[in-house]
Amino acid sequence: MHLYSTKNKNLNIEFEEAVLRSLPQDNGLYMPHEIPLINKKDLLVLLDKSFEELSFEVAKNIIGDSIPEEILKAIVLEAINFPAPLVMLEENIYCLELFHGPTLAFKDFGARFMSRVMNYYKRENEKLFVLVATSGDTGGAVASGFYNVEGIEVVILFPKGKVSPLQQKQLTTLGKNISAIEIDGTFDDCQSIVKQAFLDEELIHKYQLSSANSINISRLIPQSFYYFNALRQLEDISDVVFVVPSGNFGNLTAGILAQKMGLPIKHFVAATNINDVVPEYIKNGHYNPRQSEQTISNAMDVGNPSNFYRMETLYGSTWNTVKENVSAYAFTDGETKNAMKEIHDKYGYIIDPHGAVAYLGALKYKLDSGHNGPTIFMETAHPSKFMETVESVLNIKIEIPERLASLSEKNETFTILHNDYNEFKNWFIKKYH
Ligand SMILES: *Cc1c(COP(=O)(O)O)cnc(C)c1O
């Protein structure tokens, strides 16, 4: 697999470099030069396989011989060890449950695969240091995905008082190769410290540093697997629309990769909260990134989606070609809460706020387009991850899965630092000298 940068078509680098670097030096995004098409006959064979087998075939198709087949197979089988079931709410309305991984969010797919690929590529006898700033879900998935992976040390920076108590537990109770640092500042401050570390000659000379942020191409690839797996669970796959609750648009971009590999996806619908820069773009052709606003679907509070240019590039970089393939709608918190109630009353199904936004997108698209085939919307987090909101909206008590509930008894260990790069650097050098 070879990649270029969205800012330089002539760049031609190996998958290994894209994984370890995350971002090209020109600040573009890595894109594959080729996305091999799986022909119809092979696709039908593929859709008869198990989720794990199918995931391996899809990975092999796009990654090619950048990772030897046997090793790639082991990586996929280890990473994708939980299901992604399709639940029918009513005829032709399906919910794709992506929350069955260890941290109960769909980010487990990306983090588990990326950690193992990085482990394969890291230089022998040398430690790899993965730095990541988190506002919530990403940190937990990365911590769990990299936990106990030999030769990799993970440092997670989180903003004081701005992640939920259970999210914080997911970062601070593992120990071993996972270190958590509470920064007396905001998420942007955490991110800025990570960025400075990557520019610090002294550090990058001495340590092999990498990042686990969402634009890493190795986080996107495994997210294409569950699109294939969703169609595997349908009888008729000729007319399928996916509705994706979107923030940074990694999930939707992975769907486009699946489509380019030959999966017959008719159309995509992006559903957002009031952070609606992409719905605005689809409406009028102008892309105006701006500061994000806080909502109850906070994993989608993104004002400058990092995968926007990938999505645009995959559809030929014009507004017309993008909007032919992608519809987009935005919903308020009020509408989201009503949808959560409606789904509970009508189907007895408990949904989290992100999934509820997607459900609204599904209804609106059906109404606007008259689409009659299967519409699959994604549930990206288990409702208990957003327990406070879900319980107050539905006026019920919800059950917390054991792997989340057991966290509350565990002891937290983390380092407290000021919002100061030099303080972070001194801590880092002292710890890993
Ligand atoms: C990260 C996240 C999203 C948004 O996914 P993108 O790939 O950034 O568009 C949606 N829902 C949940 C629960 C998330 O954690």
Side-chain angles (χ1 to χ4, degrees):
M1 180 181 194
H2 290 89
L3 301 104
Y4 65 93
S5 160
T6 47
K7 291 200 175 154
N8 178 9
K9 267 248 154 189
N10 296 322
L11 190 74
N12 192 18
I13 62 144
E14 251 294 333
F15 184 51
E16 172 174 1
E17 189 179 336
V19 171
L20 293 179
R21 271 186 191 278
S22 271
L23 271 181
Q25 266 149 343
D26 61 17
N27 231 345
L29 292 161
Y30 287 124
M31 291 290 287
H33 274 292
E34 277 159 27
I35 304 169
L37 186 70
I38 302 168
N39 68 43
K40 280 216 176 90
K41 199 167 129 253
D42 290 346
L43 183 74
L44 291 179
V45 174
L46 196 64
L47 294 179
D48 255 347
K49 295 181 189 254
S50 67
F51 186 19
E52 297 90 331
E53 283 286 332
L54 166 164
S55 298
F56 163 63
E57 296 292 341
V58 173
K60 191 173 72 174
N61 182 61
I62 187 157
I63 294 173
D65 56 9
S66 294
I67 297 178
E69 208 169 301
E70 280 316 300
I71 295 174
L72 184 61
K73 186 157 196 171
I75 289 174
V76 172
L77 295 191
E78 247 188 71
I80 312 300
N81 65 349
F82 52 93
L86 199 57
V87 175
M88 190 170 93
L89 292 190
E90 64 178 71
E91 175 133 30
N92 280 334
I93 302 250
Y94 297 87
C95 174
L96 181 62
E97 294 185 343
L98 299 178
F99 56 71
H100 293 278
T103 73
L104 306 169
F106 87 104
K107 292 195 170 65
D108 285 325
F109 285 98
R112 291 177 66 78
F113 185 79
M114 172 169 60
S115 62
R116 285 156 181 89
V117 171
M118 278 189 174
N119 184 42
Y120 168 68
Y121 279 134
K122 82 181 179 55
R123 282 181 231 128
E124 216 161 310
N125 302 323
E126 207 180 313
K127 269 205 158 63
L128 178 67
F129 294 87
V130 173
L131 307 185
V132 62
T134 185
S135 56
D137 269 356
T138 299
V142 167
S144 156
F146 281 88
Y147 181 57
N148 263 339
V149 175
E150 213 173 305
I152 300 186
E153 291 286 335
V154 177
V155 179
I156 302 170
L157 286 78
F158 66 95
K160 180 178 178 176
K162 297 200 172 60
V163 301
S164 80
L166 275 178
Q167 282 176 329
Q168 183 163 324
K169 289 268 185 186
Q170 289 185 323
L171 315 175
T172 56
T173 56
L174 289 171
K176 288 199 181 169
N177 65 325
I178 311 292
S179 300
I181 299 183
E182 180 191 86
I183 298 289
D184 193 3
T186 63
F187 167 68
D188 292 324
D189 296 327
C190 296
Q191 193 144 32
S192 150
I193 291 174
V194 171
K195 280 192 180 147
Q196 280 184 70
F198 283 105
L199 298 172
D200 187 326
E201 294 289 341
E202 191 191 336
L203 274 196
I204 54 182
H205 204 75
K206 221 170 135 193
Y207 301 95
Q208 199 187 352
L209 294 187
S210 192
S211 133
N213 52 24
S214 67
I215 55 247
N216 195 301
I217 189 79
S218 66
R219 264 182 71 172
L220 278 191
I221 289 168
Q223 294 185 42
S224 65
F225 305 163
Y226 50 70
Y227 284 89
F228 284 86
N229 189 55
L231 264 61
R232 186 177 73 88
Q233 299 172 66
L234 285 178
E235 304 243 307
D236 180 5
I237 61 166
S238 56
D239 206 19
V240 178
V241 170
F242 277 97
V243 188
V244 189
S246 295
N248 271 317
F249 283 75
N251 197 353
L252 200 148
T253 302
I256 302 174
L257 288 182
Q259 188 186 41
K260 299 269 171 189
M261 283 190 263
L263 193 69
I265 299 173
K266 187 182 175 201
H267 196 76
F268 288 99
V269 179
T272 73
N273 56 35
I274 55 165
N275 294 286
D276 63 350
V277 294
V278 173
E280 280 294 308
Y281 161 81
I282 295 291
K283 206 182 286 168
N284 60 28
H286 300 296
Y287 181 61
N288 292 319
R290 56 165 197 262
Q291 283 285 323
S292 65
E293 285 173 65
Q294 210 173 339
T295 72
I296 57 168
S297 49
N298 61 20
M300 309 197 296
D301 293 350
V302 179
N304 188 5
S306 54
N307 282 294
F308 176 78
Y309 290 108
R310 272 199 177 122
M311 177 172 89
E312 199 190 36
T313 304
L314 284 165
Y315 281 138
S317 299
T318 76
W319 174 49
N320 275 317
T321 48
V322 176
K323 75 182 164 79
E324 264 166 36
N325 290 286
V326 182
S327 301
Y329 304 110
F331 302 96
T332 63
D333 279 356
E335 291 169 313
T336 306
K337 288 178 184 172
N338 285 337
M340 291 165 70
K341 280 187 222 144
E342 179 178 315
I343 295 167
H344 189 238
D345 291 348
K346 218 166 149 183
Y347 307 109
Y349 190 86
I350 300 172
I351 203 157
D352 100 295
H354 304 79
V357 169
Y359 169 79
L360 285 168
L363 295 192
K364 182 121 171 78
Y365 179 72
K366 264 179 94 78
L367 203 65
D368 277 8
S369 68
H371 173 65
N372 254 329
T375 302
I376 301 175
F377 72 93
M378 292 175 173
E379 169 60 320
T380 43
H382 189 279
S384 65
K385 282 206 94 170
F386 298 90
M387 191 170 63
E388 294 80 3
T389 305
V390 174
E391 290 193 336
S392 82
V393 171
L394 301 184
N395 204 12
I396 54 167
K397 277 267 162 224
I398 56 172
E399 234 174 276
I400 305 179
E402 170 55 26
R403 55 192 181 285
L404 204 58
S406 64
L407 278 178
S408 59
E409 287 134 44
K410 292 197 178 143
N411 287 328
E412 294 191 37
T413 310
F414 58 91
T415 303
I416 300 171
L417 296 179
H418 291 109
N419 174 22
D420 177 80
Y421 175 68
N422 282 318
E423 210 174 286
F424 168 76
K425 182 177 174 178
N426 289 336
W427 171 87
F428 188 91
I429 291 174
K430 203 163 154 206
K431 179 162 170 97
Y432 301 111
H433 66 275

